[in-house]
Amino acid sequence: MRLTEGIKGNRFAVFGRAGMDMFADPVGVKSEDATTFRADLGGSSANICAGLVKLGSEAALVTSVSNDAVGRFCVNQLKDYGVETRYVRSVGGEARTSLAVYESCIEDFQNVIYRNGAADFHVTEADMDAVDYSAYTALITAGTVFASEPSRSATFRAFDLAREAGLPVIFDIDYRPYSWPSPEVAAEVLTRAGEASDLIVGNDEEFGFMAGGIEKGLDKARALAAEGRMVVYKMGHEGAITLVDGEEIRTGIYPVTAVKPNGAGDSFMAGLLASIAAGHSLRDAVLRGSACASIVVSQPGCANAMPTTAELEAFLASHPGPTE
């Protein structure tokens, strides 16, 4: 299977945003009451990159950042995590790198995201043409890249170039309503992206949104899988259903005491792919991805909370195990 072979190649070109995260310190303090914030790398695709590298994979981020201190902060953080940054381009003018301000508490959790004039929407088809696809074995993208032009057309261009180079396409739906001009446009474009992908990862709400109702989400996932794709249908605390080759693999989660909800999906994706690349069975890879998600929500921050392989193994060895 071309998808599995590409993932096992373990060299990923990742498309999407990098941003700055600022989270209230210490744990439990609300943002409006905080006097101290910690800064770290953020943004779904950047988080996936950091998670992959910490688990022993190679990852390059393809994106745009603002030509200012915040953009340079993100590039420096990517380098510190070991992510390849040759395809991160600085853009001037009024473009701004995204900023997320959140807290480490579950009750009334707030994540305030600043996306006005987002710099990552400024990637172009020329940026995609400049990528050496032969250096990678799979393409990953998060759905936010499709919310605006020119990044929408540019990323579909990258899909075409990746296919010409023999790379499978991995798609994290990552639907963020505030980024889109309308739900109708989002449903149409995200469905198109899913149909152009080899592996689709999303939660029940995202598949339901694409299908026109949450009750139709699993049928939508099954229909996409029936056309030859691998689909991971996540259901929060109820675990996940992985659909591939006519089979449905049901897996649970690793219960933990969470301090925040965000970052779980990015860590799941990194853990899933790195575990397949390391030779684990698909079922075990999904469970390891779930373990990575649990690790991240149990700690402050996102990129910094992504586990290393040693940390993941220690978690699995000490945890009583996943839910049924």
Side-chain angles (χ1 to χ4, degrees):
M1 185 178 184
R2 185 171 68 98
L3 172 61
T4 302
E5 292 172 356
I7 296 171
K8 287 186 174 181
N10 213 22
R11 300 192 306 277
F12 300 97
V14 186
F15 296 74
R17 73 187 186 279
M20 175 187 277
D21 278 7
M22 295 185 66
F23 49 99
D25 188 47
V27 170
V29 175
K30 302 294 291 178
S31 294
E32 60 258 40
D33 299 321
T35 58
T36 303
F37 287 84
R38 293 172 58 190
D40 201 0
L41 180 67
S44 294
S45 295
N47 287 337
I48 291 170
C49 284
L52 284 167
V53 172
K54 292 175 81 170
L55 291 169
S57 304
E58 296 180 19
L61 184 64
V62 184
T63 193
S64 295
V65 296
S66 50
N67 185 19
D68 56 24
V70 177
R72 289 188 287 275
F73 171 90
C74 293
V75 173
N76 289 340
Q77 288 290 300
L78 287 163
K79 290 178 178 177
D80 286 347
Y81 281 111
V83 178
E84 174 59 60
T85 60
R86 73 176 69 183
Y87 300 118
V88 179
R89 182 171 62 88
S90 294
V91 295
E94 295 301 311
R96 293 292 180 264
T97 297
S98 296
L99 171 67
V101 181
Y102 58 93
E103 53 219 7
S104 299
C105 60
I106 292 296
E107 186 176 353
D108 190 31
F109 172 78
Q110 298 175 87
N111 187 7
V112 182
I113 299 180
Y114 295 86
R115 292 277 293 156
N116 308 75
D120 50 277
F121 285 149
H122 289 258
V123 292
T124 65
E125 293 191 10
D127 292 325
M128 304 311 178
D129 291 344
V131 175
D132 179 10
Y133 294 87
S134 67
Y136 307 100
T137 60
L139 179 154
I140 306 170
T141 190
T144 308
V145 297
F146 297 110
S148 184
E149 294 288 5
S151 64
R152 180 187 303 162
S153 296
T155 307
F156 278 123
R157 168 73 173 164
F159 277 27
D160 293 339
L161 294 170
R163 292 206 173 281
E164 290 175 10
L167 275 61
V169 172
I170 299 163
F171 175 47
D172 186 342
I173 299 173
D174 190 35
Y175 175 53
R176 310 292 179 103
Y178 53 78
S179 291
W180 290 85
S182 72
E184 293 75 19
V185 170
E188 177 185 352
V189 175
L190 292 174
T191 296
R192 177 186 166 195
E195 291 172 348
S197 302
D198 300 288
L199 165 59
I200 308 170
V201 178
N203 62 37
D204 44 6
E205 292 182 354
E206 289 169 333
F207 280 106
F209 169 75
M210 292 166 65
I214 191 167
E215 73 283 355
K216 304 175 184 177
L218 184 54
D219 287 339
K220 178 70 171 181
R222 285 171 170 153
L224 288 164
E227 296 173 347
R229 303 175 187 87
M230 182 187 297
V231 177
V232 181
Y233 181 85
K234 299 184 294 183
M235 302 175 292
H237 69 277
E238 295 182 10
I241 303 173
T242 303
L243 305 102
V244 61
D245 296 333
E247 183 181 6
E248 295 191 5
I249 304 169
R250 293 178 178 261
T251 50
I253 65 165
Y254 289 83
V256 294
T257 300
V259 301
K260 66 177 195 312
N262 55 324
D266 305 332
S267 191
F268 175 87
M269 177 69 88
L272 169 68
L273 298 178
S275 296
I276 293 173
H280 294 276
S281 70
L282 180 57
R283 179 185 180 82
D284 285 348
V286 173
L287 284 169
R288 288 168 69 88
S290 296
C292 289
S294 294
I295 290 169
V296 167
V297 299
S298 68
Q299 301 176 35
C302 289
N304 61 291
M306 302 279 172
T308 63
T309 303
E311 290 167 343
L312 173 57
E313 297 297 349
F315 175 88
L316 292 170
S318 62
H319 197 282
T323 56
E324 293 295 328

